[in-house]
Amino acid sequence: MNPDASGAPPATAGKTGSARAATRRKARDPLAPDPAGAQAGGAGSAEGGFDPHVPNVDYGVLDNLIGYALRRAQIRIYEDFVLSLAQWQITPPRFSALVIISRNPHLKLTELAHILGIARSGAVLLVDALEEMKLVARRPAPGDRRAYSLVLTPAGRRTLEAATQAVVAHDAHAGSALTETEQATLKSLLARLAPPRAG
Amino acid sequence: MNPDASGAPPATAGKTGSARAATRRKARDPLAPDPAGAQAGGAGSAEGGFDPHVPNVDYGVLDNLIGYALRRAQIRIYEDFVLSLAQWQITPPRFSALVIISRNPHLKLTELAHILGIARSGAVLLVDALEEMKLVARRPAPGDRRAYSLVLTPAGRRTLEAATQAVVAHDAHAGSALTETEQATLKSLLARLAPPRAG
């Protein structure tokens, strides 16, 4: 289910040329699994990036949908994120999980899933991968013998610190064609999308 | 990999009460697979929907990122899409694939993957699911004995027609808190995100 979880190296400050080449090869594969086409960052990366408007393709109703406009933007951002973080093998969900775990002590797996808006089964795979990468560890949860809480390892803290700088730079690139006012407008409009249904 | 592909019923106009209840139960599970937390529509749905700002959670740098603002909006839209289309078992990638296949004759699988920005392996799973749902069929491709092209079945065409109405209604709901001008602004800002890197 998670082809890149095994053998994903922990972060290292310096890399040899061949390790860097290996990282680059790896980055051309989707770092996150991509079943049923549910996630971005796939084949497009290997072919010079996702083209949101492939010539001579009729997108039909998709061109009118807010949801598909969001999807197009998300694929491009996802691809740039994965390339920007390739040296750490950190995908967007992995980064989000590391941030949430680092800032919320005694977090349980189900809480992490709830916060990230993913299924518990997805959170299990995510944490398994981070544990194999030696970035996250499970600790017995105080007062609940069946549960455990999640912590960053020392390597996890170092990796998160370096990765955060790379993510902030990536995000600045993602918004680089927008003024600060436009970025604020975008965030505010996004926050108003898909209001909860009554009932 | 794709737990809901087998046994996913083709679209039917009327449903019995128990079939509708089954659909609702099914809709509370993620319809699309969710490995490594890479896709939305997961556990949150079962707990009354995704909360982009869970109380007492420290989101750290995530709160500042355009990418995470996009992710929050995408989860909410994904959840509403899946619930809106539950009677057809149609997820966003399935809908996009049906639209692209219907409007672009003689489409090959690799072309579909390229257009949707997904890995070829993801497109295989996606088309397998649509084929099991009897919505899509593979036909020998003219002039290429190793390839095939994708077509909608008659049931696929009927389902797409009905599902499109539901998607348009869902998308209208997604943007219902925004004026038409704001929606146009949003689409224009989204289209300018993550410009290609030089080189």
Side-chain angles (χ1 to χ4, degrees):
Chain A
M1 288 292 266
N2 196 346
D4 67 318
S6 66
T12 50
K15 290 213 174 209
T16 65
S18 66
R20 206 174 294 119
T23 299
R24 197 167 303 125
R25 273 197 305 279
K26 187 92 196 209
R28 293 162 71 94
D29 293 319
L31 284 176
D34 188 357
Q39 185 52 51
S45 325
E47 312 292 338
F50 172 63
D51 183 348
H53 298 276
V54 177
N56 302 319
V57 168
D58 181 353
Y59 288 86
V61 69
L62 299 180
D63 273 336
N64 304 327
L65 299 174
I66 292 173
Y68 203 69
L70 206 68
R71 168 76 182 149
R72 281 174 164 144
Q74 187 234 339
I75 296 177
R76 287 199 312 279
I77 290 192
Y78 195 99
E79 286 189 350
D80 192 74
F81 187 111
V82 168
L83 288 173
S84 301
L85 278 285
Q87 79 173 105
W88 298 282
Q89 309 270 359
I90 301 277
T91 57
R94 289 179 186 176
F95 179 72
S96 301
L98 290 175
V99 171
I100 297 293
I101 292 168
S102 82
R103 300 191 71 94
N104 298 276
H106 309 303
L107 195 74
K108 293 181 188 170
L109 189 90
T110 48
E111 295 168 328
L112 179 66
H114 179 64
I115 293 165
L116 296 181
I118 61 178
R120 192 181 183 286
S121 57
V124 168
L125 292 171
L126 182 57
V127 168
D128 282 352
L130 293 171
E131 208 168 16
E132 280 200 60
M133 295 165 77
K134 316 282 191 209
L135 304 179
V136 164
R138 292 167 155 100
R139 296 271 177 268
D144 184 349
R145 283 192 352 200
R146 292 170 312 167
Y148 50 84
S149 54
L150 303 168
V151 292
L152 294 197
T153 64
R157 285 195 294 274
R158 285 194 303 273
T159 299
L160 177 58
E161 193 174 337
T164 297
Q165 291 184 34
V167 169
V168 168
H170 144 77
D171 204 68
H173 169 73
S176 59
L178 275 51
T179 65
E180 284 204 17
T181 306
E182 286 174 328
Q183 293 186 23
T185 300
L186 174 61
K187 286 180 186 172
S188 140
L189 293 172
L190 287 171
R192 289 160 60 202
L193 285 181
R197 302 259 182 182
Chain B
M1 288 292 266
N2 196 348
D4 67 318
S6 66
T12 49
K15 290 211 174 210
T16 65
S18 66
R20 205 174 294 121
T23 298
R24 197 169 301 125
R25 273 197 306 279
K26 187 93 195 208
R28 293 163 70 95
D29 292 320
L31 284 176
D34 188 356
Q39 184 52 48
S45 324
E47 312 291 339
F50 172 63
D51 183 348
H53 299 276
V54 176
N56 302 319
V57 168
D58 181 353
Y59 289 86
V61 69
L62 299 180
D63 273 337
N64 304 328
L65 300 174
I66 293 174
Y68 204 70
L70 206 68
R71 168 76 181 149
R72 281 173 164 143
Q74 187 233 339
I75 296 177
R76 288 199 312 280
I77 290 191
Y78 195 99
E79 285 189 349
D80 192 74
F81 187 111
V82 168
L83 289 172
S84 302
L85 278 285
Q87 80 173 104
W88 298 282
Q89 309 270 0
I90 301 277
T91 57
R94 290 179 184 175
F95 180 72
S96 301
L98 290 175
V99 171
I100 296 294
I101 292 168
S102 81
R103 302 191 70 94
N104 298 277
H106 308 302
L107 195 74
K108 294 181 187 170
L109 189 89
T110 48
E111 295 168 328
L112 179 67
H114 179 64
I115 293 165
L116 296 181
I118 61 178
R120 193 181 183 285
S121 58
V124 168
L125 292 171
L126 183 56
V127 168
D128 282 352
L130 293 171
E131 207 168 17
E132 280 200 61
M133 294 164 77
K134 316 281 191 209
L135 304 180
V136 164
R138 291 166 155 100
R139 296 272 177 267
D144 185 349
R145 281 188 359 196
R146 292 170 312 168
Y148 50 84
S149 54
L150 303 168
V151 292
L152 294 197
T153 64
R157 286 195 293 274
R158 285 194 303 274
T159 299
L160 177 57
E161 194 174 335
T164 298
Q165 292 185 34
V167 169
V168 168
H170 144 77
D171 204 68
H173 169 73
S176 59
L178 275 52
T179 66
E180 284 203 17
T181 305
E182 287 174 327
Q183 292 185 24
T185 300
L186 174 62
K187 287 180 186 171
S188 142
L189 293 173
L190 286 172
R192 289 162 57 203
L193 285 181
R197 301 261 183 180

